[in-house]
Amino acid sequence: MKIACLGAGPAGLYFSILARQADPSRQVEVFERFPQDETVGWGVVFSDQALTSLRDADRKTHDEIVAAFCHWDDIDIFFRGQRLRSRGHGFAGISRAKLLDILRRRAKALGVHIAYETTISKPSQWQGFDLVVAADGVHSAVRKRYAEAFRPTSSAGRCRFIWLSTPRRLDAFTFDFRETTFGWFTLHAYRYDEEASTVIVEVSEETWQNAGLYSFTTAQTVAFCEKLFADRLQGRPLIANPCHRSTSEWVKFEHICCEQWHHDNIVLIGDAAHTAHFSVGSGTRLAMEDAIALARCIDEHSQVGSALAHYQALRQPEAMKLVNAARNRMEWFENVARHARLSPLQFSYSLLTGSQRIGHESLRKRDPDYVASVERLVAVQSGVDKTIPPMFTPHRIRALVLPNRVVVSPMAMYSAVDGVPGDFHVAHLAARALGGAGLVMTEATYASPEGRITSGCTGIWNEAQRLAWQRIVTLIHAQSYAKIGLQLGHAGPKGATPIPGRHASGEKWPLLAASELPFDQGGQTPRAMARDGMDLVRGQLVAAVTRAEQAGFDLIELHCAHGYLFSSFISPLTNQRGDEYGGSLDNRLRYPLEIFVAMRAAWPANKPMFVRISAHDWAVGGNTPEDAVAIAAAFQAAGADLIDVSSGQTTALAKPVYGRMYQTPFADRIRNEVNIATMAVGNISAPDQVNSIIAAGRADLCALGRPHLADPCWTLHAAAALGYRRIPWPEQYETARKQYESHIAYFTGEQLQSKYNQGHE
Ligand SMILES: Cc1cc2nc3c(=O)[nH]c(=O)nc-3n(C[C@H](O)[C@H](O)[C@H](O)COP(=O)(O)OP(=O)(O)OC[C@H]3O[C@@H](n4cnc5c(N)ncnc54)[C@H](O)[C@@H]3O)c2cc1C
Ligand SMILES: Cc1cc2nc3c(=O)[nH]c(=O)nc-3n(C[C@H](O)[C@H](O)[C@H](O)COP(=O)(O)O)c2cc1C
C-alpha cells in the first residue's frame, strides 16, 4: 500500500508512524511545504487523559513525549485583583518544535520518507498513491479543492489573538483578565519548557479597534502587552514567533467543520477536518486521536473506501464532542464583559465549566476545596448558612420562595375534557410535586376554547376549570413543599390540531395569528389579527389571570415561544404585518407586551410572573440569541421577573443544533447581559448539569421536561445520588428513602458522601 500524508504537523507525522508501525511493507511518504525546522507557534498542552490514548497507540512515541513534558496540576485565574486557584487538573506542556522533532525522528526510524519544502495541492502530485491523508492544517488546500464533497463550513471567531512566548516559568495554566479603558484583555498562558511559557493575548474586535492595535507593528504590540501584563510576567519580556507566519499578527480563530471527511481515496484529519479553540488546548490531541482512529480503520479494512467510511462513522461523533466544547469555551472568552458582573469566585467557576464538558462533580474530584468554596458562595447568595448542592438552594422571587432550583417544565398532556383538568392531571402533577421539584409548571393552558392547540388541552375560561385547578393547587400545597405555576397562552396559528396519537380528524375552529401564514405547508390558514380580536384575546387572558389567582397559583407564565400566537408576532418569519405590530422588533413586541402588561396588572404584585420565549428561531432571517437579549429586556421593563429560555419551533424550516444543555448558553447570555433571572431548559438531564448551571450563574432555575416524565421523583433521586439527605421525602415514603440511598451506595460502590450531612442524622 502506498500512502501520501500531506503536511508534517502532528496529524500527518503521527499517522505516518502508526501506519508504518502496523505494517512495515507500506510505503509512507510525508510532504511538507516548510523547511524542517520552521514551525508555527510555541507550545502545546495535553491533559493527562489525552496521554492515555497516545500510550496505547505507540508506547515509544508516548514515552519520549512524556520524558520531554513539564507537568502541572493547577489553573490560576486572575480577575479583579484576586487569584482563584483550582487544583488537580493534570496538564502537560511541550514545545511544538520538540513534539514535532520526536514525531519526525520516530517516523524516520520506522522508514517513513519525509519531503520538506514540498508543497502539494494538485491531484497530479498524489497520483499513484492508494491513500491520501490530507493533514494540511486549518487552511487545507485539499479541503478547498473538494469543497463540494467535504461540505465544509467555516466561521471566524469574534476575537483576535496573538501567540507569543516568555522566558518565564509559570507553575499553573494561567488566565488573566484585565479591564482597560479600551475593553477587556485576556491572557492565556502555560509552560512548555523548563523556563518558557506560551502566552496568548486575546481581545474582542471592538477592544482591538479601540486600542488602535491594528496600526501597531509587532514590536509595538509586544511592548503594549508586556506593559499590560508586567506583573504576571514579572518583568520578563514577551517574544514574537521568529517564523513570522501569521502568529506574530493578531488573527481570528477559524472554526472549521466538515460534513464529510473522505472523498474517493482522500481523507481529512486534524485541523484540516475540524478546529478546536485554543482555550481548551485540544487541537493537537484531536489531530493525534484522528490519526489513531484512522490507522486502526486502515488496519481493519482491506478496502480503502470502507476503511474511510468506518473511520468517519467512528471518529466524527467523538471529535465533535470536543469541538462543541471548544466552541462553547470560545464563546465564553468572546464575552468576558458579560461574565464580569459575577463575583470573582463565580467568574472562575463559570470559566472552568464554560465548555459544558467539565461539570460540578468532575471539578470536585479534581479540587474538593474549590468546589466547596463555590457551594458556600451559592448558599450564602441564597441566604443559607450551610454548604449544600447548588440545586438545593432556595430561590426568592418577589414574595415567593422556591425551595430548590428544579422545575417541572410545562408539558401538554392532551388529556383534558372540555378544558377541565381531570384525574390524570391530579395524579400527574401531584406525583411530580411529591417527587421533590421546587416548582411544578402546568401544561400550556388556555383562556378560550378557540385558543387551544387541541380539544384535549386544559383551559381556565370557566368556573368548572377553575375549581378543578384549585383542587390540584390545594392538594400540592397541602401535601408537598412544591410551588405551582400556571402557563397561559394562545395557540394562534398552531391551534385546532388533532390530539397526538388520536385519529387525524379532530375538531376544527378558526385560527388567529400575526399574519395570514399557515404554520405548516398545507395547514390551516389563520386570520391576521385585527384590533377587535386583539382586545378580545387580551380580555380573555386577563379573566384567566383572575381565575388563576382565585385558584391559588403561586405564579403565572405567559407563553410567548414555539410559534404560538404571541410568538407569531415576535418572529420576523411569521410576522409580515405592515402596521405598528409588524416590522421592527419594537413593533413585533408591541402586542405580546400589551398582553403581558394587562395580565401583570391583574396579577397580585407580590406574586411573580414569568415569560417563556424562543431565544433562537434557528432559521435564516429569524430571531437570533442577540434579538433574544432585546426581547428579554423589553419584558423585564414591562415587569417580568424571569425569562424561561426555550428556543425554536417557530417555523417548520428551523434547523436547531441539539446537544446537551443546548439552550443554556442563551439563558446565560440573557441573565448576564440583561441582568434578569432566567430559567434554562432543554436536554438538561443530570444533577451534575443542574448544579453546574446554577453555580456558574448561567441560570437561576433549571426546567426539566422529559426527565420528569420518565421519573416523577427526579429531584429526590438526584439528592440521593449526590449524597444529600436534607431534602424531605414524603413521610409516607420514608422507608423507601433508606433503601434507595443504600441501593445507590451499593451500585456506585461508594458510601454515601457525608459532605452535606454533617451534624445530621
Ligand atoms: C494560538 C494557538 C494555540 C494552540 N495551542 C494548542 C495547545 O495548547 N494544545 C493543542 O493541542 N493544540 C493547540 N493549538 C492547535 C494546534 O496547533 C493544532 O490544532 C494542531 O497543530 C493541528 O495539527 P495538524 O497536524 O492537523 O495541523 P498543523 O499543525 O497545522 O499541520 C499542518 C501542516 O501541513 C503543512 N501544509 C499545509 N499545506 C500544505 C501543502 N499544501 N503541502 C504541504 N504541506 C502543507 C503545514 O505547513 C503544516 O506543517 C493551538 C493553536 C493555536 C492557533
Ligand atoms: C410532551 C411534551 C409536551 C410539551 N408541552 C409544552 C407546553 O405545554 N408548553 C411549553 O412551553 N413547552 C412544552 N413542551 C416543551 C418542554 O417544556 C421543554 O421545553 C422541552 O421538552 C425541552 O426540555 P427537556 O429536554 O427537558 O424535555 C413540551 C414538551 C414535551 C416533551
Side-chain angles (χ1 to χ4, degrees):
M1 188 185 219
K2 276 184 75 178
I3 302 174
C5 293
L6 314 186
L13 284 174
Y14 198 47
F15 175 77
S16 73
I17 291 170
L18 301 178
R20 266 299 280 204
Q21 184 203 42
D23 182 354
S25 74
R26 288 171 180 158
Q27 183 185 330
V28 184
E29 301 205 20
V30 178
F31 302 95
E32 167 59 46
R33 63 182 167 168
F34 289 155
Q36 172 164 325
D37 295 320
E38 186 171 326
T39 183
V40 175
W42 299 101
V44 293
V45 57
F46 289 91
S47 65
D48 282 353
Q49 233 178 347
L51 289 172
T52 312
S53 43
L54 298 193
R55 188 192 56 210
D56 296 344
D58 177 31
R59 188 76 201 220
K60 214 162 180 306
T61 313
H62 167 268
D63 290 351
E64 260 210 78
I65 293 175
V66 167
F69 267 151
C70 29
H71 273 273
W72 71 93
D73 278 329
D74 301 343
I75 299 181
D76 275 350
I77 297 167
F78 293 87
F79 178 65
R80 298 214 188 279
Q82 286 193 33
R83 183 185 76 176
L84 294 308
R85 172 163 281 195
S86 157
R87 300 177 187 277
H89 295 274
F91 290 110
I94 185 171
S95 87
R96 183 173 154 103
K98 211 179 257 177
L99 173 70
L100 291 180
D101 180 54
I102 292 170
L103 297 177
R104 187 186 305 126
R105 282 190 288 100
R106 174 83 173 130
K108 283 190 172 162
L110 285 167
V112 173
H113 178 253
I114 309 177
Y116 284 98
E117 299 180 62
T118 311
T119 300
I120 299 268
S121 52
K122 290 194 236 68
S124 57
Q125 293 172 285
W126 60 74
Q127 228 170 20
F129 285 93
D130 304 302
L131 172 66
V132 179
V133 179
D136 52 348
V138 59
H139 302 295
S140 169
V142 178
R143 184 186 67 231
K144 285 179 191 152
R145 174 174 281 273
Y146 296 105
E148 267 184 33
F150 294 125
R151 297 191 292 283
T153 48
S154 115
S155 55
R158 286 179 27 225
C159 282
R160 286 182 183 266
F161 66 89
I162 183 161
W163 200 353
L164 306 164
S165 163
T166 184
R168 157 149 158 64
R169 176 195 169 111
L170 288 163
D171 55 4
F173 204 129
T174 302
F175 297 103
D176 192 336
F177 299 86
R178 297 290 163 108
E179 191 172 21
T180 68
T181 48
F182 311 117
W184 284 92
F185 281 75
T186 304
L187 171 140
H188 310 238
Y190 52 86
R191 219 175 118 198
Y192 65 86
D193 233 330
E194 266 318 301
E195 290 303 328
S197 303
T198 286
V199 174
I200 300 164
V201 180
E202 190 182 19
V203 284
S204 71
E205 177 72 22
E206 200 189 350
T207 304
W208 187 74
Q209 297 276 356
N210 290 345
L213 291 168
Y214 51 86
S215 64
F216 283 23
T217 61
T218 302
Q220 285 170 322
T221 294
V222 164
F224 178 91
C225 295
E226 275 172 355
K227 191 165 167 216
L228 186 59
F229 293 106
D231 52 348
R232 199 62 50 237
L233 299 168
Q234 293 185 339
R236 297 297 177 89
L238 284 172
I239 302 163
N241 196 313
C243 302
H244 277 226
R245 303 195 196 268
S246 78
T247 52
S248 58
E249 296 155 16
W250 291 95
V251 288
K252 289 188 170 182
F253 177 76
E254 249 189 273
H255 184 80
I256 306 279
C257 251
C258 292
E259 262 181 62
Q260 190 65 21
W261 285 9
H262 60 97
H263 169 62
D264 290 339
N265 64 340
I266 306 171
V267 60
L268 300 177
I269 67 170
D271 275 9
H274 47 68
T275 54
H277 190 248
F278 52 83
S279 59
V280 290
S282 292
T284 304
R285 166 193 177 173
L286 275 169
M288 294 175 79
E289 287 179 350
D290 282 359
I292 294 171
L294 178 61
R296 248 179 229 150
C297 293
I298 298 291
D299 288 345
E300 285 167 8
H301 295 259
S302 52
Q303 299 296 317
V304 167
S306 58
L308 300 189
H310 193 228
Y311 163 66
Q312 177 170 344
L314 185 83
R315 181 70 190 136
Q316 198 173 32
E318 268 313 297
M320 290 322 284
K321 282 186 200 159
L322 251 177
V323 167
N324 288 337
R327 194 173 186 128
N328 289 337
R329 247 305 172 78
M330 175 178 88
E331 284 173 6
W332 195 96
F333 280 101
E334 286 178 349
N335 295 290
V336 169
R338 180 193 302 159
H339 307 290
R341 64 178 279 273
L342 300 172
S343 71
L345 183 57
Q346 198 165 28
F347 177 89
S348 69
Y349 181 93
S350 171
L351 189 170
L352 294 173
T353 56
S355 70
Q356 297 202 158
R357 196 174 156 83
I358 296 182
H360 199 68
E361 292 309 315
S362 55
L363 263 188
R364 191 198 304 285
K365 264 192 207 129
R366 296 167 194 212
D367 190 346
D369 292 342
Y370 174 80
V371 169
S373 65
V374 171
E375 290 186 336
R376 251 191 318 276
L377 175 77
V378 179
V380 168
Q381 284 171 346
S382 322
V384 177
D385 61 2
K386 294 178 206 76
T387 302
I388 61 176
M391 67 187 274
F392 292 112
T393 53
H395 188 64
R396 187 189 179 94
I397 317 173
R398 297 201 187 214
L400 181 71
V401 179
L402 299 175
N404 62 52
R405 310 299 187 103
V406 183
V407 177
V408 177
S409 203
M411 281 179 290
M413 295 287 109
Y414 309 111
S415 303
V417 177
D418 297 329
V420 179
D423 289 349
F424 171 80
H425 297 88
V426 176
H428 167 68
L429 294 168
R432 279 142 192 90
L434 291 173
L439 172 65
V440 176
M441 290 300 301
T442 69
E443 64 195 79
T445 296
Y446 300 96
S448 70
E450 307 76 37
R452 292 174 297 171
I453 308 176
T454 73
S455 58
C457 290
T458 49
I460 187 158
W461 65 82
N462 64 32
E463 276 303 283
Q465 294 157 353
R466 198 262 294 168
L467 286 169
W469 281 123
Q470 192 163 325
R471 177 183 168 212
I472 293 171
V473 172
T474 309
L475 169 66
I476 287 179
H477 285 164
Q479 300 295 332
S480 77
Y481 52 73
K483 306 296 176 192
I484 175 161
L486 176 71
Q487 190 185 53
L488 281 167
H490 189 296
K494 292 172 97 174
T497 54
I499 294 176
R502 305 259 179 94
H503 199 264
S505 59
E507 254 182 86
K508 290 275 171 207
W509 53 84
L511 301 183
L512 296 173
S515 300
E516 260 179 47
L517 294 169
F519 186 77
D520 293 306
Q521 226 183 3
Q524 195 182 329
T525 302
R527 218 176 48 238
M529 276 187 114
R531 192 58 246 184
D532 55 346
M534 290 180 172
D535 292 343
L536 180 70
V537 167
R538 190 188 56 211
Q540 290 167 340
L541 279 158
V542 168
V545 170
T546 306
R547 286 203 176 87
E549 162 60 1
Q550 289 163 355
F553 280 104
D554 299 299
L555 63 89
I556 52 172
E557 173 172 281
L558 177 61
H559 195 343
C560 289
H562 302 169
Y564 298 113
L565 184 63
F566 306 119
S567 162
S568 81
F569 275 84
I570 299 174
S571 171
L573 301 172
T574 44
N575 182 339
Q576 298 182 351
R577 298 174 73 106
D579 60 5
E580 70 268 38
Y581 301 102
S584 67
L585 180 60
D586 279 353
N587 280 358
R588 302 197 311 271
L589 275 168
R590 195 180 304 279
Y591 184 53
L593 286 172
E594 177 189 319
I595 292 285
F596 179 89
V597 168
M599 289 169 71
R600 180 66 262 184
W603 185 240
N606 63 346
K607 290 191 178 182
M609 188 165 165
F610 296 0
V611 184
R612 175 167 269 206
I613 63 166
S614 282
H616 199 332
D617 282 339
W618 300 108
V620 178
N623 282 327
T624 62
E626 192 170 337
D627 296 315
V629 169
I631 295 167
F635 279 109
Q636 182 189 40
D641 299 292
L642 176 144
I643 307 296
D644 173 0
V645 188
S646 185
S647 77
Q649 299 174 56
T650 53
T651 160
L653 304 173
K655 286 208 170 120
V657 181
Y658 295 114
R660 290 182 306 167
M661 303 179 271
Y662 72 109
Q663 296 172 156
T664 300
F666 312 142
D668 184 356
R669 180 163 184 182
I670 290 172
R671 182 180 193 270
N672 293 305
E673 279 188 26
V674 178
N675 199 6
I676 186 171
T678 57
M679 176 148 78
V681 65
N683 269 353
I684 300 169
S685 54
D688 192 43
Q689 295 169 345
V690 178
N691 278 332
S692 308
I693 292 169
I694 302 300
R698 292 198 172 89
D700 300 85
L701 302 177
C702 286
L704 285 76
R706 290 161 297 172
H708 272 120
L709 294 185
D711 180 2
C713 296
W714 189 92
T715 307
L716 297 181
H717 292 164
L722 293 169
Y724 177 66
R725 300 201 196 114
R726 290 175 196 271
I727 186 168
W729 283 45
E731 259 173 49
Q732 298 88 333
Y733 299 172
E734 198 51 39
T735 50
R737 171 216 277 265
K738 295 220 162 55
Q739 190 201 36
Y740 189 82
E741 287 174 349
S742 47
H743 271 190
I744 293 248
Y746 176 79
F747 284 117
T748 56
E750 290 166 15
Q751 279 305 308
L752 276 176
Q753 304 153 47
S754 59
K755 57 189 175 288
Y756 300 120
N757 306 303
Q758 270 116 32
H760 185 70
E761 293 192 341

